[in-house]
Amino acid sequence: MEFEPVIGLEVHAELLTKSKMFCGCPTKFGAPPNTQTCPVCLGFPGVLPVVNKKAIEYVLKVAIALNCRINRHTIFERKNYYYPDLPKAYQISQKRLPLGYDGWLEIEVDGEIRHIGIADVHIEEDTGKLIHGEEGGFEFSLIDYNRSGIPLVEIVTKPEIRSLKELEEFMVALRQLLLYLEVSDCKMEQGSLRFEASVSLRPKGSSELGTRVEIKNLNSFKAVLGAVEAEIKRQQQLLMRGEKIQQQTMLWNEKLRITEPMRTKETAHDYRYFPEPDIPPIVITDEWLENVGKNLPEFPKQRMQRFVEQYGLPIQDAKLLTASKASADFFERCVSMLQQPKTVANWMLTEIQSLLHDDQIGWEDCPLKPEQLAGMLKLLNDGVISGRIAKSVLEEMYRTGKDAQTIVNEMGLVQITDEAQLRPIVDRVIAENPDAVEKFRKGDEKVLGFFVGQVMRATKGRANPQIVNKLVRELLKGR
Ligand code: ADP
Ligand code: MG
Ligand code: ZN
């Protein structure tokens, strides 16, 4: 029998608010442990939470962008369980009345457009972070409460993802959207974006859902894809043997590339949700909703299409440039200063992209500014520097933050266009290479390139190649 996988995702993204969900503590990543805490986020008895309005606004943005319906009257609820990373022994979340529900996100797989249903978009608070270690034969666990109480958006899909390809596209599109909305930095290596996947199989063509297995704590696209692939295989083998799938929660073992049970049958968790008595219901007024809706940014797909129309870029370039909001913004800022879209696109997608790639960072963290690129390209246009020098200037700008003109002045990189200055160098190169001169005499024009290359080398790339070309011809003919 042939089986079809059914996949659902639960996504947690930390919101980019300056302060936490229910207190004024800062949310900056990387501070020394337990320095960003207070009685509220440490769960002391008797303290009162105060809702962060910005966080609600951010989740509202996400819900609207995911085409959700909005619960205009909503409440917070307590999800009760005890764990060392949860000092209150409950998490403030939303269950019955999520801020957003019943939406969709568009993805494209092999040229085909699909809408993946979104069941639920809600707010909750993050837990602290447990750090397990070992020293001198002793195992220990440490806890950092800096993360405790950072606002999260949880996005739950309907079980409508049908393949690994769709799964990957969905994650890429969702991350792209969250970055465009500027509600999360989505840094998976810092835990700002985390996934849980549910997987079941069913006979191909069936419309019923099979028993699902949930895989927790997936912290990268790679982990999600690896875990889901392994889980599909595992279930397939069980079903082929005529066995039943047990509903359970698994963890991904990246080393062995298998999913392993975390909790087995026991009793299913009962979180005893009940309304949070310390927070009044939230009312989303018409005015608030309208305001948030009006201030949404242009979405990736629209921006991509506009780049093609407005700047005459090839679709592929437009796609790459709008893949992140940061690169799209960089591009438009640069083009506003130098009206050469294709040139700017080329430099961004080759030279700068490769510098970013070497440093393993994204456009969000690009140290180079659009002003610097525009300045350098102007020098190139004006013939102040040669194309070859331009690349080194770019790298120097990227590393030092200086502008192109400063670098050119400091390093003496100004292009040599003065024939009187270049002629003796060409002369010398010709004198040093009698064999090549002989070849030229016998009609081999290819050696022209060799001479030009030698002159460029002698001038460390500063000579103007057109003028060198002309001089080489002239001086060779004169021989
Ligand atoms: P719960 O309330 O137990 O958390 P939900 O119905 O909210 O369960 O679903 C949680 C996640 O599991 C969602 O992402 C959903 O798409 C997915 N899911 C639910 N049923 C299945 C199934 N049979 N196969 C695969 N995924 C499923
Ligand atoms: Mg759930
Ligand atoms: Zn606090």
Side-chain angles (χ1 to χ4, degrees):
M1 197 189 318
E2 221 185 316
F3 293 104
E4 164 187 71
V6 174
I7 304 159
L9 265 191
E10 290 173 70
V11 184
H12 284 100
E14 281 186 351
L15 298 177
L16 269 180
T17 53
K18 291 202 178 64
S19 58
K20 292 189 182 179
M21 186 68 220
F22 301 113
C23 62
C25 289
T27 56
K28 216 166 154 23
F29 181 83
N34 298 308
T35 54
Q36 300 182 158
T37 59
C38 74
V40 173
C41 55
L42 287 173
F44 283 24
V47 296
L48 284 175
V50 176
V51 175
N52 184 333
K53 190 173 173 193
K54 200 92 220 170
I56 297 190
E57 217 159 280
Y58 282 4
V59 176
L60 208 47
K61 268 191 183 186
V62 176
I64 298 173
L66 289 173
N67 308 289
C68 285
R69 307 174 65 177
I70 307 293
N71 272 315
R72 304 291 290 275
H73 288 77
T74 180
I75 57 165
F76 285 101
E77 284 157 292
R78 288 191 183 177
K79 177 181 182 179
N80 297 278
Y81 67 99
Y82 173 74
Y83 208 69
D85 62 10
L86 190 70
K88 291 199 293 276
Y90 60 83
Q91 188 182 22
I92 303 179
S93 180
Q94 296 191 293
K95 171 91 175 162
R96 263 190 307 139
L97 295 169
L99 203 53
Y101 63 100
D102 201 15
W104 47 267
L105 175 64
E106 179 177 301
I107 59 169
E108 193 181 325
V109 174
D110 301 329
E112 200 191 319
I113 302 278
R114 276 213 62 203
H115 287 185
I116 303 295
I118 303 292
D120 174 331
V121 174
H122 69 258
I123 312 173
E124 61 183 34
E125 56 174 337
D126 213 344
T127 59
K129 194 171 167 184
L130 284 165
I131 299 136
H132 305 290
E134 197 206 299
E135 210 174 277
F138 288 97
E139 290 184 357
F140 59 83
S141 294
L142 301 172
I143 174 88
D144 178 3
Y145 287 115
N146 284 349
R147 206 179 69 179
S148 170
I150 289 186
L152 295 174
V153 57
E154 179 171 343
I155 300 158
V156 183
T157 74
K158 297 179 183 174
E160 294 183 350
I161 301 169
R162 296 279 177 273
S163 66
L164 291 171
K165 199 90 182 271
E166 285 188 11
L167 179 60
E168 180 167 17
E169 280 308 314
F170 180 86
M171 292 191 291
V172 169
L174 182 64
R175 179 170 183 275
Q176 183 189 37
L177 184 66
L178 294 174
L179 285 171
Y180 262 76
L181 295 171
E182 295 180 315
V183 296
S184 173
D185 64 18
C186 294
K187 290 190 175 158
M188 288 180 266
E189 69 286 0
Q190 296 183 0
S192 305
L193 186 64
R194 317 193 288 263
F195 303 90
E196 291 164 15
S198 291
V199 181
S200 66
L201 293 189
R202 64 181 175 193
K204 216 174 172 124
S206 159
S207 59
E208 269 171 53
L209 291 174
T211 307
R212 77 174 165 118
V213 164
E214 194 174 355
I215 314 159
K216 288 220 178 272
N217 298 349
L218 299 167
N219 292 332
S220 66
F221 289 173
K222 232 177 80 195
V224 175
L225 294 168
V228 170
E229 185 176 16
E231 180 57 28
I232 291 173
K233 280 204 189 112
R234 189 189 70 89
Q235 291 187 19
Q236 212 158 20
Q237 283 165 1
L238 285 174
L239 292 173
M240 297 291 232
R241 288 205 298 265
E243 291 179 42
K244 278 222 161 70
I245 306 296
Q246 224 185 81
Q247 177 161 351
Q248 58 184 341
T249 304
M250 312 276 267
L251 289 175
W252 170 229
N253 185 326
E254 187 125 44
K255 261 200 209 115
L256 300 180
R257 305 201 67 73
I258 52 168
T259 52
E260 297 171 323
M262 173 168 135
R263 318 181 184 118
T264 35
K265 284 188 278 181
E266 318 173 11
T267 42
H269 254 287
D270 178 5
Y271 293 120
R272 294 174 296 125
Y273 278 95
F274 66 85
E276 165 61 63
D278 290 337
I279 303 176
I282 308 282
V283 178
I284 312 289
T285 60
D286 291 349
E287 198 192 345
W288 194 9
L289 189 61
E290 222 169 83
N291 233 318
V292 174
K294 263 203 315 248
N295 289 311
L296 291 179
E298 185 181 24
F299 291 146
K301 192 174 171 182
Q302 282 73 37
R303 201 165 186 187
M304 192 268 280
Q305 285 161 348
R306 182 167 62 78
F307 274 25
V308 171
E309 284 156 25
Q310 184 177 342
Y311 301 113
L313 291 177
I315 289 181
Q316 198 48 31
D317 284 11
K319 249 192 189 147
L320 290 170
L321 288 171
T322 54
S324 91
K325 179 167 188 295
S327 59
D329 288 348
F330 186 111
F331 172 80
E332 293 213 270
R333 176 101 191 94
C334 195
V335 170
S336 77
M337 292 174 283
L338 183 92
Q339 285 74 39
Q340 296 173 5
K342 185 61 186 146
T343 307
V344 172
N346 288 347
W347 278 87
M348 284 182 66
L349 297 175
T350 54
E351 304 303 324
I352 303 178
Q353 192 77 66
S354 119
L355 290 168
L356 294 173
H357 184 262
D358 289 347
D359 286 350
Q360 303 234 344
I361 55 175
W363 283 96
E364 299 80 36
D365 299 314
C366 180
L368 189 81
K369 298 284 164 281
E371 290 74 8
Q372 290 172 290
L373 178 60
M376 188 278 279
L377 291 175
K378 273 181 196 149
L379 295 182
L380 183 60
N381 281 347
D382 296 348
V384 178
I385 52 174
S386 66
R388 220 163 85 190
I389 292 289
K391 286 185 192 174
S392 358
V393 172
L394 183 88
E395 187 161 351
E396 193 66 16
M397 291 194 299
Y398 179 95
R399 304 265 171 244
T400 63
K402 294 178 183 168
D403 64 41
Q405 189 64 61
T406 308
I407 290 166
V408 167
N409 293 344
E410 281 178 7
M411 299 176 71
L413 297 176
V414 175
Q415 179 161 245
I416 309 172
T417 48
D418 179 5
E419 288 192 17
Q421 206 179 335
L422 288 173
R423 189 163 282 134
I425 304 171
V426 178
D427 256 334
R428 196 186 72 224
V429 167
I430 289 175
E432 280 168 357
N433 293 283
D435 292 357
V437 174
E438 193 49 40
K439 277 190 195 158
F440 179 76
R441 234 181 244 137
K442 288 186 181 146
D444 183 359
E445 293 255 323
K446 282 200 296 280
V447 292
L448 282 172
F450 164 78
F451 282 115
V452 174
Q454 291 298 306
V455 175
M456 293 308 287
R457 226 168 95 180
T459 58
K460 297 202 171 64
R462 288 172 55 211
N464 176 306
Q466 283 81 35
I467 296 179
V468 173
N469 221 307
K470 183 181 132 233
L471 286 175
V472 167
R473 273 182 189 279
E474 254 177 50
L475 296 178
L476 276 176
K477 292 237 170 78
R479 289 250 148 188

